[in-house]
Amino acid sequence: MDRWLHLFADKKILAGVFLVIVAILGGTLWYLEQKVTSQTLQRLSDQLSLGLNNQLDKERSTALRYALILGQNSALIDTLEEEDEDKGFEILSEVMESIKLHTDSLIRAQIITADYVIFARSWDNSYAGMPLDFHRPDLLYFQTHKKPRAAIEVGRKIGVKATVPVYSKETMIGFVEVVSFFESTQEYFDRLGIDLYVLMEERFYETAVFMQENPVIGKEYILANPKYTQSDLKLLNGVDFKTLKTARVIFSGGRYLFYEPMTNGEGETIGAFVFSLSPQQISTYAHSDEEDLSFLIHLSRSELYDIMAKKTLGNAQFQSVYDKELLYLKDTVPPEDRELYLEEARERLNAYSKEELIGILLDYKVSKEIKGEIR
């Protein structure tokens, strides 16, 4: 009897030890899994941030390039000096049509007088003569600076604004400006299957009059996306933005949300960019065999290259829309900017293999004959 009791006690001890070991192993595995998940999310957050800033840099660079070109158009600047709004709109429209013909790009450009009044606007000239001072405090920057700049600014809408001051002798007579509303940046992440929400702080409600019908998110932000669903609004309105700002990534509404602050030309926070990814996307990234490569680059090469080539870039195998537009700009670059343009073009084309360059030359007409003068 004693022997059986002793044996039973030994089994209880062994079972207890086994359970303790299982618990320790389970706890260790859980800890490691959480640590890996945290590291995965942090790494992805960093790469989303890099990808976003890279795209925004391209958007700012493209807008500034066009603004500089327009700023060199003497006929257009003459109309500003002569205060001939109709002629200014006519010339601006012709230049925009020429750019669209040779680059297939829709550019929004406007001319502003020195006292902050709309002189001409390429996409809608019904606002000519309307003052901008209340809506564009960022233009005050040029009271003490002569250098052009491109930045995200709040106006009647929030967007990238590339502004070039125009001078007659030593007197500033106005501004040439090209604006964009994050279209190319959103398209880039759309192709990667990543939702990107552009949020402007609600305190700019009175300034951004063209956004007053946009959805308000949690009494903190106004959604700037032109397209959205009720699911998007439900997701965003369920977010604790105070927590998201601090943590930079949270799980909410069945999605992983990543936060990136939006700043203007003065470095002031004026809104936020929020990425939304599904758990499946996170899992795909966590188990990627090429963790030494950017997840975004890996996806664009292995899964989206054909889509980008067919839907966005025609038959030519450009690596980005920026490269395509850069090559077409060669027909509109003024002589004084030629060297800077060639330097940029060389840098971009050096990233292509010999086979890719041959493919571009064979499949795409990057050189088009221009008849007449671009005024």
Side-chain angles (χ1 to χ4, degrees):
M1 184 68 177
D2 291 339
R3 189 164 70 90
W4 286 106
L5 289 173
H6 182 70
L7 183 61
F8 180 72
D10 288 344
K11 286 185 177 181
K12 287 181 66 177
I13 293 172
L14 289 173
V17 171
F18 177 75
L19 290 174
V20 169
I21 293 173
V22 169
I24 292 173
L25 288 174
T28 302
L29 290 174
W30 178 86
Y31 170 77
L32 291 174
E33 182 179 354
Q34 294 300 311
K35 186 175 181 180
V36 169
T37 300
S38 176
Q39 291 175 345
T40 297
L41 294 176
Q42 183 58 55
R43 188 168 67 249
L44 180 52
S45 177
D46 292 342
Q47 291 178 5
L48 287 171
S49 178
L50 288 172
L52 173 65
N53 288 317
N54 183 50
Q55 291 303 309
L56 291 176
D57 282 345
K58 289 180 180 180
E59 199 161 340
R60 284 188 288 261
S61 176
T62 299
L64 184 58
R65 197 180 301 275
Y66 283 116
L68 288 168
I69 290 171
L70 288 172
Q72 297 295 322
N73 189 304
S74 59
L76 185 61
I77 301 310
D78 287 344
T79 66
L80 182 60
E81 277 197 285
E82 297 164 3
E83 300 182 0
D84 189 342
E85 293 180 355
D86 292 336
K87 185 64 175 178
F89 174 66
E90 179 185 343
I91 294 176
L92 186 61
S93 298
E94 290 176 359
V95 174
M96 293 300 99
E97 289 175 7
S98 179
I99 291 176
K100 188 174 189 335
L101 174 65
H102 297 291
T103 69
D104 197 29
S105 299
L106 177 62
I107 304 298
R108 302 180 187 88
Q110 63 183 7
I111 311 300
I112 303 169
T113 67
D115 53 352
Y116 314 125
V117 173
I118 296 175
F119 178 76
R121 178 176 279 179
S122 67
W123 70 96
D124 182 1
N125 207 44
S126 62
Y127 290 91
M130 182 173 290
L132 281 175
D133 51 350
F134 172 71
H135 303 282
R136 294 294 305 279
D138 58 288
L139 292 175
L140 298 176
Y141 167 87
F142 295 100
Q143 290 182 354
T144 55
H145 298 78
K146 291 187 176 182
K147 185 178 179 180
R149 76 171 180 176
I152 300 172
E153 301 289 354
V154 176
R156 286 183 167 88
K157 289 181 67 175
I158 195 169
V160 172
K161 296 174 173 61
T163 310
V164 177
V166 177
Y167 290 83
S168 175
K169 297 180 181 178
E170 294 298 320
T171 303
M172 186 177 72
I173 60 174
F175 309 90
V176 173
E177 190 166 73
V178 171
V179 301
S180 63
F181 302 114
F182 310 109
E183 294 98 336
S184 62
T185 298
Q186 287 190 300
E187 287 172 5
Y188 173 80
F189 286 103
D190 281 344
R191 289 193 293 268
L192 294 173
I194 297 173
D195 294 331
L196 172 62
Y197 301 107
V198 181
L199 305 175
M200 179 186 73
E201 290 186 357
E202 197 275 337
R203 63 192 173 98
F204 296 109
Y205 176 84
E206 296 295 336
T207 301
V209 293
F210 289 163
M211 295 178 60
Q212 291 180 349
E213 299 299 320
N214 289 34
V216 177
I217 305 299
K219 298 182 179 180
E220 296 181 69
Y221 295 104
I222 295 176
L223 182 64
N225 296 50
K227 297 179 181 179
Y228 55 86
T229 66
Q230 289 302 312
S231 296
D232 293 326
L233 299 183
K234 182 179 179 181
L235 174 67
L236 291 171
N237 279 309
V239 174
D240 181 347
F241 280 98
K242 184 177 181 180
T243 301
L244 180 57
K245 289 178 187 178
T246 302
R248 302 297 286 265
V249 54
I250 62 173
F251 185 75
S252 177
R255 307 278 293 185
Y256 284 94
L257 303 177
F258 298 80
Y259 170 87
E260 185 70 20
M262 178 196 297
T263 57
N264 63 10
E266 299 297 324
E268 174 193 14
T269 299
I270 58 174
F273 296 99
V274 175
F275 297 97
S276 171
L277 283 81
S278 68
Q280 183 178 1
Q281 288 172 301
I282 300 296
S283 178
T284 299
Y285 174 57
H287 296 93
S288 171
D289 292 331
E290 299 184 38
E291 292 186 357
D292 58 318
L293 293 177
S294 165
F295 175 60
L296 303 181
I297 294 175
H298 173 58
L299 275 182
S300 64
R301 286 178 177 172
S302 64
E303 299 177 22
L304 298 170
Y305 185 85
D306 290 338
I307 295 176
M308 290 177 67
K310 291 178 181 178
K311 290 189 176 182
T312 308
L313 308 172
N315 294 325
Q317 296 181 349
F318 289 100
Q319 293 177 3
S320 71
V321 178
Y322 174 77
D323 293 352
K324 172 189 173 185
E325 294 180 348
L326 181 65
L327 289 184
Y328 272 133
L329 273 176
K330 74 181 184 65
D331 295 317
T332 60
V333 176
E336 59 269 25
D337 294 331
R338 193 72 178 172
E339 189 59 38
L340 288 174
Y341 169 80
L342 291 174
E343 181 180 343
E344 174 75 2
R346 290 190 195 98
E347 182 179 340
R348 297 300 305 176
L349 292 176
N350 280 337
Y352 288 79
S353 67
K354 178 180 177 181
E355 290 73 19
E356 288 174 323
L357 292 174
I358 291 173
I360 290 173
L361 291 174
L362 291 176
D363 296 333
Y364 212 76
K365 295 181 180 180
V366 298
S367 179
K368 292 189 177 182
E369 181 182 359
I370 296 180
K371 296 182 178 180
E373 179 184 2
I374 297 178
R375 293 184 295 166

